[in-house]
Amino acid sequence: MKYVLAVFTALLFYFNSTAQFPERKTSAEIFHQLSKLGNTSTILYMAAHPDDENTRLISFFENDLHSRVGYLSLTRGDGGQNLIGTEIGRAIGVLRTQELLQARRIDGGEQFFTRAVDFGYSKSAEESFSKWGKEEILRDVVWVIRKFRPDVIVTRFPPTNYAGHGHHQASAILAEEAFDAAADPNMFPEQLEWVSPWQVKRLYFNSSTWWDKDLANKANKSDDYVAINIGKYNPVLGESYAQIAARSRSQHRSQGFGSDYPYGRKIEYLKYVKGQKANPEQGMLDGINRNWK
């Protein structure tokens, strides 16, 4: 018995001690993290489900602009399918939550949710709000904005039927309403015990040729658009932002969203919605104080 106790104690000590060692990083990774310390800008990407986020933009914002970046997913994907196991309903919501967290560990972003439940396909934002309770979800979105304090919000979907799903459409509608509500002390004043009102500088929509086949031509002729080359190579990290994003997006395994490892130029377009319009030549952080002043 003494022998068993001695072995158990030794193993317990071993595992506890080995668990204390910090993660090892290369000199390039350490330099990259240190480079972020001087930048105080914050960007919040917002959509409806796990796997809706544009990991290419999150990777670019986090690793090129050196901003603090978050992804707000309204739901945890409870209504999704499962291509790798038998979990459905709440169980697939747990699985997809972990997939999101793993994706953020790769692209560098942070992860947020609301209390909205993914009940499957929704035909309209009105249907989604009737099941969720619009006021409650808006309260959650405002809380995240006041706590995270983003300078910029970027939505994945338009607030119209072109979003293709009621949850998608609802996420864009909530973003626009929360843009104003978060700065209004009369909105959800109970939150002000812990956070302060916060005015986001600008709101942009991550447009796509999925909705607009003439997008590139329109963007070239209008200052409503900011174009970003997410195929840009980072010599410190040894990858392009699109390649980092491909590894991040491939974490959504239950949805079959494995991605290839792309090379070359790739443009994302952001369209102005609300707030202070950015100069396309200066990019999304135009006019935003990025240092510790």
Side-chain angles (χ1 to χ4, degrees), residues 7 11 27 59 61 68 99-100 148 170 173 181 184-185 193 206 239 249 267:
V7 172
L11 288 174
S27 57
S59 178
F61 291 151
R68 183 185 178 198
E99 290 176 338
L100 268 180
F148 191 60
I173 293 172
D184 185 353
E193 183 178 353
N206 184 192
E239 292 179 293
R249 185 152 184 81
I267 304 298

Side-chain angles (χ1 to χ4, degrees), residues 49-216:
H49 309 107
D51 72 44
D52 282 344
E53 81 275 25
N54 187 334
T55 56
R56 297 182 296 271
L57 275 179
I58 292 175
S59 178
F60 177 86
F61 291 151
E62 177 73 31
N63 297 295
D64 187 87
L65 299 185
H66 290 169
S67 296
R68 183 185 178 198
V69 185
Y71 173 46
L72 173 56
S73 175
L74 294 187
T75 75
R76 295 176 182 265
D78 319 68
Q81 302 300 308
N82 188 351
L83 296 180
I84 63 173
T86 59
E87 298 88 352
I88 57 173
R90 293 181 181 179
I92 189 64
V94 172
L95 179 60
R96 296 182 74 183
T97 295
Q98 293 303 314
E99 290 176 338
L100 268 180
L101 294 175
Q102 184 59 30
R104 298 293 79 78
R105 292 184 186 102
I106 293 172
D107 58 40
E110 300 174 46
Q111 187 60 53
F112 301 96
F113 299 94
T114 75
R115 74 191 77 184
V117 175
D118 180 2
F119 55 83
Y121 181 73
S122 175
K123 296 180 180 179
S124 67
E126 290 74 19
E127 179 190 31
S128 299
F129 290 141
S130 69
K131 292 181 180 293
W132 289 342
K134 182 180 179 182
E135 193 78 356
E136 294 306 302
I137 307 307
L138 178 61
R139 177 180 280 104
D140 290 350
V141 175
V142 168
W143 168 258
V144 171
I145 291 172
R146 286 173 171 173
K147 187 176 181 181
F148 191 60
R149 299 164 70 88
D151 298 300
V152 179
I153 293 178
V154 178
T155 59
R156 167 76 278 192
F157 300 104
T160 66
N161 290 333
Y162 283 106
H165 191 306
H167 297 173
H168 295 168
Q169 184 182 4
S171 69
I173 293 172
L174 288 168
E176 292 190 22
E177 294 189 12
F179 182 92
D180 298 316
D184 185 353
N186 296 314
M187 292 294 292
F188 313 117
E190 72 281 358
Q191 296 180 356
L192 302 184
E193 183 178 353
W194 296 279
V195 292
S196 301
W198 179 254
Q199 180 61 68
V200 182
K201 297 293 191 302
R202 57 182 59 107
L203 172 63
Y204 272 68
F205 157 52
N206 184 192
S207 191
S208 169
T209 53
W210 178 264
W211 299 288
D212 189 348
K213 302 302 181 184
D214 195 35
L215 179 58

